[in-house]
Amino acid sequence: MAEIKTEDGKKEKHYLYLDGETISGKVSIKLKKAGTRLEHHGIKVEFVGQIELYYDRGNHHEFTSLVRELARPGELTSNVSYDFEFNQVEKPYESYTGTNVRLRYFLRLTVVKRLSDLVKEQDIVVHTLSHYPDMNSSIKMEVGIEDSLHIEFEYNKSKYHLQDVIVGKIYFILVRIKIRHMELQIIKRETTGIGPNTFNENETIAKFEIMDGAPVRGESIPIRLFLNGYELTPTMRDINKKFSVRYYLNLVLVDEEDRRYFKQQEITVFRKADKVRKSVRNASAKFGSQDVAAHVQSPSSDHTDASSPRYEHNYIAD
Amino acid sequence: MANRDATARIQPRKQDLEDAYAPPANFLEIDVLNPETHGIGNKRFTDYELRMRTNLPIFRVKESCVRRRYSDFEWLRGELERDSKIVVPPLPGKALSRQLPFRGDDGIFEEDFIEDRRQGLEQFINKIAGHPLAQNEKCLHIFLLEPVIDKNYVPGKVRLT
């Protein structure tokens, strides 16, 4: 199952897995020069989930790590392939590539040799699905600056899925300033680190003008903002105590003298579970090195239900 | 298909026709006009007429007309920088070079210069008077409404009563 993910600003496609799904496939090792021998001290494949903080590159935090031994120490004289399976693997977090942090899952093939190992990595993408929340109250609030501006804003929900639409309205209770226009922004705040070493990265994902001109008391301005046009991820709160990604709606009013009045409100963004999942056959990925070309093929993914059974979370600590 | 109600427009409150067609509650216009030079010789100075018209309730009168000179604007700017939390916009230049002797022209009493200064002062005072935080400062009200500025006033805030 192929899916798009951004990295260094570019988009890549990797196989998509959900929590609880089995990851299986085949490793093929081809010797570049036929007739040569490759001595090794073992071949293994690992499934790793890790969090990388960009400002602390030396310390990758592995929250999941499983290994399968493919071959005992020996010698390769011809091309070989090995089947592998990681059965019903827990993938508790969604893959995320951000400004200061990255969470990724990947398969790592290692051919252990005397002097230096041959290592190849193959990324996969994990999505976490949520069911539609039972409680999804609207956000309704009255805010203002004494004697100058009072508004009441309302958004129809507090939790939105990635293809949802924000429906709302702004009602003007008191307008004693000269407003020129009003816009709604979606702001993404990525928080990494703890305590005094907290980094907050704010990114304005969207700016959408909802009103042009000067309103008077009693006017209502409607809001209709479609989320599927923007690059959003689900809200992530305190992932493995390492980072958070939160989204805010920022309502901004600008007056004739370019003074800005604003009100930020957090919303929860989630990924809705699809009704139907299609399975994929016969996709493959290649990667090579000096003397071997290793090849991971076709995750023969079982067609699992979107609602995976609940697992105890036994993480392999680093 | 998503439930129609889930994405239906939120019902707005009906607006009073009075509110819809009444003059807006944000009317504030300040004009800087009629520069006049008073005095003789090197005791001359120029002042400007400041006419304010508004319907904002924070000002206790709806119309006022006072005369102010450049140093009064400087005084206002200084008071606001000290007492209010706003970033006060700059005044048009002080033009010290024009006050030096041996100029071929009238220095600070040149017509063009006075006109440029008048425009700059008009922009300045409109920007300030429209700021919700500046409207709470006593110094702004004294500047706009009182015929004579009492430099020994007690700084403070004006509250809407």
Side-chain angles (χ1 to χ4, degrees):
Chain A
M1 171 146 333
E3 184 63 33
I4 299 174
K5 180 90 192 301
T6 55
E7 186 180 321
D8 294 338
K10 292 176 303 189
K11 299 205 174 190
E12 292 183 347
K13 281 192 181 206
H14 296 294
Y15 296 118
L16 173 67
Y17 289 88
L18 302 180
D19 189 14
E21 285 188 333
T22 293
I23 300 179
S24 63
K26 183 188 284 200
V27 170
S28 302
I29 304 185
K30 291 181 169 50
L31 301 170
K32 280 266 176 80
K33 285 186 286 213
T36 53
R37 287 162 16 155
L38 181 70
E39 268 189 47
H40 66 86
H41 296 286
I43 303 179
K44 63 179 176 177
V45 65
E46 293 166 281
F47 173 70
V48 178
Q50 73 183 20
I51 296 174
E52 305 168 6
L53 294 162
Y54 290 173
Y55 56 80
D56 190 11
R57 299 255 185 196
N59 283 329
H60 288 172
H61 179 83
E62 286 186 4
F63 57 85
T64 283
S65 179
L66 303 170
V67 66
R68 295 285 179 271
E69 296 279 343
L70 297 179
R72 314 272 323 278
E75 207 178 71
L76 294 181
T77 49
S78 60
N79 299 341
V80 287
S81 69
Y82 304 99
D83 289 324
F84 67 88
E85 183 180 275
F86 294 95
N87 197 26
Q88 293 180 324
V89 191
E90 280 166 29
K91 304 171 209 72
Y93 309 121
E94 171 150 330
S95 297
Y96 173 72
T97 300
T99 319
N100 280 331
V101 62
R102 198 162 121 204
L103 189 152
R104 58 190 273 252
Y105 294 86
F106 56 94
L107 292 163
R108 185 196 285 136
L109 173 73
T110 309
V111 179
V112 182
K113 297 200 305 185
R114 193 163 16 114
L115 289 176
S116 64
D117 299 344
L118 292 172
V119 178
K120 290 297 150 197
E121 293 183 354
Q122 173 67 48
D123 276 38
I124 64 158
V125 170
V126 172
H127 283 175
T128 51
L129 303 179
S130 305
H131 292 289
Y132 202 88
D134 299 324
M135 287 259 304
N136 202 349
S137 50
S138 66
I139 301 173
K140 190 167 175 177
M141 242 190 243
E142 188 186 310
V143 294
I145 299 169
E146 204 173 334
D147 304 336
S148 299
L149 176 69
H150 277 245
I151 59 168
E152 182 193 76
F153 67 87
E154 184 175 345
Y155 307 127
N156 62 334
K157 304 185 217 176
S158 35
K159 299 175 187 157
Y160 292 94
H161 61 83
L162 293 169
Q163 282 77 40
D164 217 329
V165 52
I166 300 176
V167 175
K169 76 173 204 321
I170 311 293
Y171 175 74
F172 287 91
I173 300 166
L174 182 72
V175 190
R176 296 206 184 116
I177 54 172
K178 296 177 188 171
I179 296 174
R180 199 172 59 214
H181 82 270
M182 178 164 64
E183 65 187 34
L184 190 61
Q185 301 173 346
I186 302 177
I187 296 183
K188 169 179 156 189
R189 183 168 301 149
E190 181 192 283
T191 308
T192 47
I194 43 167
N197 299 324
T198 309
F199 290 97
N200 276 324
E201 286 289 338
N202 288 338
E203 191 187 329
T204 304
I205 305 276
K207 268 193 207 184
F208 191 69
E209 183 178 278
I210 56 175
M211 178 188 80
D212 182 24
V216 291
R217 179 172 65 191
E219 296 221 43
S220 288
I221 304 296
I223 295 170
R224 185 169 293 270
L225 183 54
F226 291 88
L227 294 180
N228 60 8
Y230 303 109
E231 289 194 12
L232 301 176
T233 69
T235 295
M236 301 181 192
R237 293 201 168 92
D238 212 23
I239 299 299
N240 212 237
K241 302 201 201 320
K242 293 278 177 212
F243 70 94
S244 295
V245 180
R246 304 171 99 120
Y247 289 91
Y248 300 83
L249 288 180
N250 195 28
L251 184 69
V252 182
L253 294 97
V254 184
D255 74 10
E256 293 282 336
E257 300 292 347
D258 276 321
R259 285 179 284 257
R260 304 170 80 82
Y261 309 78
F262 66 92
K263 174 68 187 157
Q264 256 187 37
Q265 192 62 41
E266 183 174 4
I267 54 167
T268 301
V269 181
F270 66 97
R271 186 183 294 278
K272 202 167 62 151
D274 289 334
K275 294 197 175 67
V276 176
R277 257 182 49 92
K278 299 177 269 238
S279 63
V280 152
R281 314 242 127 78
N282 296 327
S284 65
K286 277 188 155 81
F287 43 90
S289 82
Q290 281 178 334
D291 24 44
V292 299
H295 175 115
V296 172
Q297 182 204 352
S298 183
S300 43
S301 69
D302 16 339
H303 180 182
T304 53
D305 250 355
S307 52
S308 323
R310 304 223 157 229
Y311 295 95
E312 264 181 70
H313 287 220
N314 303 315
Y315 302 132
I316 298 165
D318 56 349
Chain B
M1 260 310 147
N3 184 359
R4 269 283 174 93
D5 289 339
T7 52
R9 188 182 278 209
I10 296 178
Q11 282 307 319
R13 290 184 232 177
K14 293 251 12 153
Q15 183 183 27
D16 256 343
L17 281 184
E18 274 211 28
D19 285 339
Y21 292 102
N26 57 8
F27 180 65
L28 172 65
E29 272 177 21
I30 303 179
D31 297 313
V32 177
L33 321 150
N34 299 334
E36 276 171 22
T37 305
H38 308 280
I40 45 171
N42 58 356
K43 303 275 195 269
R44 284 181 291 171
F45 70 94
T46 309
D47 66 6
Y48 308 81
E49 182 181 324
L50 218 78
R51 188 185 312 158
M52 178 185 80
R53 280 163 304 166
T54 185
N55 65 0
L56 296 179
I58 190 79
F59 294 108
R60 60 179 171 77
V61 287
K62 298 304 152 214
E63 278 196 27
S64 92
C65 191
V66 295
R67 292 205 73 89
R68 294 280 177 254
R69 54 186 293 186
Y70 184 85
S71 53
D72 295 334
F73 283 82
E74 284 184 303
W75 169 85
L76 175 65
R77 185 165 198 279
E79 295 297 297
L80 287 174
E81 289 227 287
R82 191 193 64 223
D83 291 336
S84 82
K85 295 191 213 93
I86 69 181
V87 175
V88 189
L91 280 170
K94 203 160 159 58
L96 286 170
S97 63
R98 284 184 175 260
Q99 294 176 39
L100 296 174
F102 307 121
R103 288 185 64 99
D105 60 12
D106 245 347
I108 55 169
F109 303 106
E110 271 292 298
E111 265 183 38
D112 293 340
F113 170 74
I114 289 182
E115 174 56 22
D116 285 343
R117 183 173 265 198
R118 185 202 67 74
Q119 286 176 10
L121 293 176
E122 195 171 68
Q123 284 173 18
F124 171 84
I125 191 60
N126 274 290
K127 234 186 200 150
I128 296 235
H131 198 303
L133 292 180
Q135 284 165 5
N136 289 336
E137 296 293 330
K138 257 197 212 171
C139 54
L140 180 69
H141 290 253
I142 291 175
F143 182 88
L144 290 173
L145 307 177
E146 300 295 330
V148 177
I149 297 180
D150 173 15
K151 303 261 167 90
N152 295 318
Y153 83 112
V154 178
K157 306 284 185 220
V158 175
R159 306 254 29 242
L160 189 70
T161 42

